Amino acid sequence: MSEDYNQPLSGNELPRFGGIASMFRLPVATSAKGIDVGLIGVPLDIGTSNRNGTRFGPRQIRTESVLVRPYGMATRAAPFDSFQVADLGDVAVNPFSLTKSIEIIEAHYNALLKHDIRPISMGGDHTITLPILRQIAKKHGPVALIHVDAHTDTNDTMFNEKITHGTIFRRAIEENLVDPNFMIQIGPRATGYSAEDFDWARNQGVQLEQAESCWYHSLAPLMDEYRKKVGPDRPVYLTFDIDGLDPSVAPGTGTPEPGGLTGSQGLEIIRGAYGLNIVGADLVEVSPPYDQSGNTALLAANLIFEILCSLPDCIRRD
Ligand code: MN
Ligand code: MN
């Protein structure tokens, strides 16, 4: 255990069910100064088109994160010996205005990214990724994108709105925030508004791996291939919509679709990103009111831990 960096409060020091529910029981920081990796909540759900409730996502993920321990047993990763990690609290979104919330999120990440920090954000619905990506691209240029989702989120409009949780990646490509030639979407499936729904992304050069192509096998080879294509230096953003996983493992979400990825495949995708230059990430669309067992938020907390373990230079205790 490193004494140089913040450490999660151990379950052997204070029972896991006690204390303030910060992410991974880490200290809560009010400034990003000196923080290598910031965990940020964005409690937004007014960009959703079906069930709501993701405004409660960050709090619930923090609550379930108390069970996550500091070392990865499969990867031997030691993220809290590798970086200064802190919970940076929540963005003060405006629950009455999506437009204003987008502006608020942009301003928040604009200020945050003046520091040398990798933000890992907890949604919130998927709309949050657009204002975050705008600031990420301002700093790093158009990024490579790993996008796990049951949906491509590349509709042109929804209810005539250009910015919703189902349109953000069309906007991101149009605004040149991501390089579609280094963008992979894993998990789209089920039903669409037209049979051509997935063609727009493919026509931009996106590698679209429909869920069916992922069934029954490991996704490690897919990620090996993607890693080779992207290389170790190009900035990569990872956006993980929890509905990419099957509703049997992640029922607590607003737009569930059958035939999704397994929990293990979710882990393989994130572990397969180790060796890439991940400059930021988010985990979105956890809706606690639909999460009767708490397993969706618990899984989300573990996936966020795995993201920490896949950041560049995360130590492995070999
Ligand atoms: Mn999505
Ligand atoms: Mn989705």
Side-chain angles (χ1 to χ4, degrees):
M1 188 177 96
S2 167
E3 294 190 354
D4 300 336
Y5 297 125
N6 292 337
Q7 295 297 317
L9 178 60
S10 169
N12 295 316
E13 262 177 70
L14 177 73
R16 296 196 174 280
F17 41 84
I20 293 165
S22 65
M23 194 60 187
F24 301 130
R25 312 181 97 205
L26 286 163
V28 176
T30 50
S31 158
K33 195 164 182 283
I35 307 293
D36 303 314
V37 183
L39 301 159
I40 304 125
V42 191
L44 182 85
D45 67 2
I46 54 176
T48 53
S49 52
N50 190 40
R51 301 167 176 170
N52 57 7
T54 57
R55 64 177 61 184
F56 303 112
R59 278 207 171 184
Q60 195 61 31
I61 295 169
R62 286 188 177 99
T63 294
E64 297 295 344
S65 79
V66 300
L67 191 55
V68 179
R69 301 172 191 86
Y71 297 93
M73 300 314 288
T75 56
R76 305 182 73 91
F80 304 109
D81 296 348
S82 308
F83 322 110
Q84 183 71 312
V85 191
D87 188 327
L88 290 177
D90 285 351
V91 181
V93 294
N94 179 337
F96 301 109
S97 168
L98 186 58
T99 313
K100 283 185 181 153
S101 291
I102 300 281
E103 287 170 14
I104 291 165
I105 297 166
E106 276 197 52
H108 192 96
Y109 283 79
N110 179 45
L112 195 63
L113 290 169
K114 292 202 170 28
H115 300 274
D116 185 16
I117 191 171
R118 293 173 204 265
I120 300 180
S121 308
M122 301 177 274
D125 72 61
H126 219 155
T127 317
I128 71 166
T129 305
L130 183 66
I132 295 171
L133 272 178
R134 283 176 176 161
Q135 297 304 320
I136 289 275
K138 201 164 90 183
K139 181 166 178 169
H140 298 284
V143 290
L145 188 76
I146 302 170
H147 173 204
V148 182
D149 206 319
H151 316 92
T152 60
D153 296 348
T154 54
N155 292 301
D156 186 19
T157 58
M158 296 178 90
F159 286 86
N160 293 320
E161 295 290 333
K162 285 282 202 183
I163 298 179
T164 76
H165 77 152
T167 61
I168 45 168
F169 294 110
R170 188 178 291 225
R171 298 291 92 77
I173 290 172
E174 287 171 350
E175 294 178 23
N176 201 29
L177 311 179
V178 304
D179 183 342
N181 296 309
F182 295 98
M183 175 170 171
I184 185 169
Q185 295 188 302
I186 310 173
R189 60 184 185 270
T191 52
Y193 291 109
S194 80
E196 294 85 32
D197 272 7
F198 295 165
D199 295 351
W200 186 86
R202 284 199 172 106
N203 290 338
Q204 313 306 307
V206 174
Q207 181 182 351
L208 202 157
E209 300 290 341
Q210 289 182 227
E212 287 77 4
S213 74
C214 303
W215 286 358
Y216 316 122
H217 62 83
S218 165
L219 297 186
L222 177 74
M223 292 308 295
D224 289 346
E225 200 185 305
Y226 180 75
R227 243 182 11 256
K228 274 187 208 127
K229 179 167 141 184
V230 171
D233 301 320
R234 183 182 301 277
V236 180
Y237 190 86
L238 169 63
T239 183
F240 201 116
D241 182 331
I242 200 74
D243 73 26
L245 304 184
D246 192 75
S248 59
V249 291
T253 194
T255 330
E257 311 284 358
L261 309 180
T262 66
S264 320
Q265 287 177 317
L267 294 175
E268 285 180 322
I269 293 168
I270 297 173
R271 289 176 186 171
Y274 183 59
L276 292 169
N277 179 20
I278 298 176
V279 295
D282 60 53
L283 188 300
V284 297
E285 298 283 354
V286 172
S287 177
Y290 293 94
D291 192 19
Q292 298 294 308
S293 66
N295 276 346
T296 313
L298 176 61
L299 178 58
N302 277 276
L303 293 171
I304 292 169
F305 175 79
E306 294 287 339
I307 293 172
L308 282 178
C309 298
S310 283
L311 294 180
D313 301 321
C314 183
I315 294 166
R316 262 85 176 120
R317 293 286 178 211
D318 291 324

